[in-house]
Amino acid sequence: MQTDNAPRLVLASASPARRALLHAAGIDVEVLVSGVDESTVEAADAHELCLSLARLKARAVAATLPGDPGVLVLGCDSVLAFDGEILGKPHTPAEAVRRWRAMRGRSGVLHTGHHLTDLTTGKQAEDVGATVVHFADLTDEEIEAYVASGEPLHVAGAFTIDGKGGAFVERIEGDAGNVIGLSLPLLRRLLMTFGVTVPQLWRTERKEDA
């Protein structure tokens, strides 16, 4: 639990990876799914698209909440820029296989948009994290097995680094958390524009949890 005067962070995302990343960093959040139809949003590049989606998610959730003091709504969205394409979730096995056959042995840039809204003041802050991802040169059999696992179907770029897909990423350049779906250093910078520090969000452990 957090102290009574601590800011309350609401995560406008259904991603269990984002919630787990925040929890591991000592931050408990309330999750409210925005319901935004991502397929209706278009943009010229990955940077603009992920930021637009993060903004829409945060604003959609903020609109459903009362303006309680100290409540911050965080929206995030990730996409992969690869070979001139903007890749979100593949959704189908055939599309996931197609992507992996193109990506193997090559590199892409994972972009994650972050948008933070203060419900009391209406103040907003946003930014995008970008991490270069170098993919392993997978065999056809590895691609088929990975897609059959179901993991890549519902994640941006058709891969993870914190699950089965971690074996298929040779290295990254940048923040690993950003690839998982949320950059903690970037979140810290956004929070500071509201006069909030990360330690203020840390949960206070009960004695029995120590």
Side-chain angles (χ1 to χ4, degrees):
M1 61 181 292
Q2 296 168 317
T3 58
D4 291 340
N5 61 349
R8 175 174 148 228
L9 188 62
V10 175
L11 180 62
S13 171
S15 167
R18 291 190 180 107
R19 185 175 187 176
L21 195 154
L22 287 165
H23 181 81
I27 301 172
D28 289 331
V29 295
E30 178 181 349
V31 173
L32 293 175
V33 181
S34 68
V36 168
D37 183 358
E38 299 179 19
S39 66
T40 64
V41 181
E42 297 183 358
D45 57 43
H47 184 284
E48 181 183 346
L49 179 60
C50 70
L51 193 55
S52 295
L53 287 168
R55 187 186 306 127
L56 282 172
K57 290 178 179 180
R59 289 178 177 175
V61 168
T64 69
L65 297 171
D68 296 334
V71 177
L72 301 172
V73 179
L74 174 64
C76 295
D77 193 83
S78 300
V79 295
L80 179 72
F82 175 79
D83 202 21
E85 290 188 86
I86 304 174
L87 305 179
K89 304 175 182 70
H91 296 298
T92 68
E95 177 60 15
V97 168
R98 183 193 73 80
R99 291 186 187 183
W100 266 103
R101 285 178 176 169
M103 296 189 308
R104 57 183 169 189
R106 301 176 65 190
S107 304
V109 181
L110 195 289
H111 295 76
T112 297
H114 302 64
H115 180 93
L116 199 62
T117 293
D118 185 324
L119 289 190
T120 306
T121 65
K123 181 178 179 181
Q124 303 175 44
E126 60 185 28
D127 203 353
V128 175
T131 305
V132 179
V133 182
H134 298 272
F135 300 105
D137 189 7
L138 274 65
T139 64
D140 287 344
E141 289 76 14
E142 287 175 315
I143 291 173
E144 294 288 347
Y146 184 42
V147 172
S149 76
E151 182 182 89
L153 301 185
H154 306 292
V155 289
F159 76 98
T160 68
I161 62 169
D162 58 335
K164 293 182 175 70
F168 306 134
V169 174
E170 291 288 351
R171 60 189 176 90
I172 64 171
E173 298 173 42
D175 179 15
N178 190 65
V179 182
I180 295 171
L182 191 154
S183 169
L184 291 170
L186 192 157
L187 175 60
R188 171 184 169 272
R189 294 194 296 272
L190 294 182
L191 288 168
M192 290 179 70
T193 68
F194 294 86
V196 176
T197 67
V198 167
Q200 286 178 270
L201 297 179
W202 288 340
R203 62 181 170 272
T204 301
E205 302 290 350
R206 297 188 298 270
K207 288 184 178 180
E208 58 265 30
D209 294 335

